[in-house]
Amino acid sequence: MDRAQKEQVVDELGQIFESSGVVVVAHYEGMTVAHMQDLRARMREAGGSVRVAKNKLAKIALEGKPCASIADYLTGMTVITYSEDPTAAARIADKYAKDNERFVILGGAMGDSALDPAGVKAVASMPSREELIAQIVSCLGAPASSIAGAIGAPASNIASILTTLEEREAA
């Protein structure tokens, strides 16, 4: 790899570290090509990506970035999983680590917060962005349906009272 290619890789990694909601670093020693393809497919399906890069170039790319604290994890055969969704990469990496003993999570970062393996597991257990939006929408919709019910209830009560009065007068 010549100098221009290395600079391009450093720029790409720098953009990844700046724009990702979460970055997870893991060892992948002993994984087969099929395992890596499976990991990439799962990550892509969840809206994330997988990147294998030279540790030295990744450390250069981390300089001055909010998640610079993960530089300590970049030793040995490491792979970086990342996503814009603050939970997707952590969730997929955590599930994959349970299925594949050769995939070992070292830690990660969420913004400028460093995450140890337990922190990655905690982020993985958080609801996704879409789930949070759905919960907020349901909370916003609940008062509206309650108001509609409250407004409609007195009218139905009045109608039933009037119907009862009419029946009494007719009798």
Side-chain angles (χ1 to χ4, degrees):
M1 188 182 296
D2 67 358
R3 183 174 178 87
Q5 290 172 321
K6 288 179 182 178
E7 287 175 359
Q8 182 181 359
V9 169
V10 168
D11 288 342
E12 289 172 5
L13 289 171
Q15 289 175 356
I16 289 168
F17 293 138
E18 266 187 38
S19 65
S20 298
V22 68
V23 177
V24 177
V25 180
H27 276 154
Y28 69 102
E29 190 170 356
M31 285 179 53
T32 65
V33 171
H35 289 140
M36 283 300 286
Q37 288 175 337
D38 181 41
L39 174 61
R40 288 178 194 279
R42 290 185 192 190
M43 197 63 69
R44 191 173 29 254
E45 194 175 295
S49 297
V50 176
R51 179 74 186 250
V52 176
K54 292 185 180 252
N55 292 332
K56 188 169 186 172
L57 296 179
K59 286 179 182 180
I60 293 169
L62 278 168
E63 291 175 5
K65 302 295 185 282
C67 58
S69 58
I70 67 172
D72 294 340
Y73 298 131
L74 297 171
T75 59
M77 293 181 66
T78 56
V79 63
I80 299 166
T81 62
Y82 58 95
S83 62
E84 287 184 28
D85 180 334
T87 62
R91 189 171 48 257
I92 299 302
D94 184 53
K95 284 181 188 174
Y96 197 79
K98 289 175 184 172
D99 297 341
N100 190 326
E101 63 195 34
R102 297 186 189 274
F103 185 78
V104 180
I105 296 174
L106 302 174
M110 188 173 183
D112 59 354
S113 300
L115 304 170
D116 60 358
V120 172
K121 188 176 282 299
V123 169
S125 66
M126 293 170 55
S128 71
R129 181 175 166 210
E130 287 76 24
E131 292 169 338
L132 287 174
I133 290 171
Q135 289 174 357
I136 290 169
V137 168
S138 70
C139 288
L140 293 175
S145 65
S146 296
I147 290 172
I151 290 172
S156 65
N157 289 343
I158 291 172
S160 67
I161 291 170
L162 291 174
T163 305
T164 306
L165 289 175
E166 283 180 6
E167 289 172 358
R168 285 187 187 167
E169 286 179 9

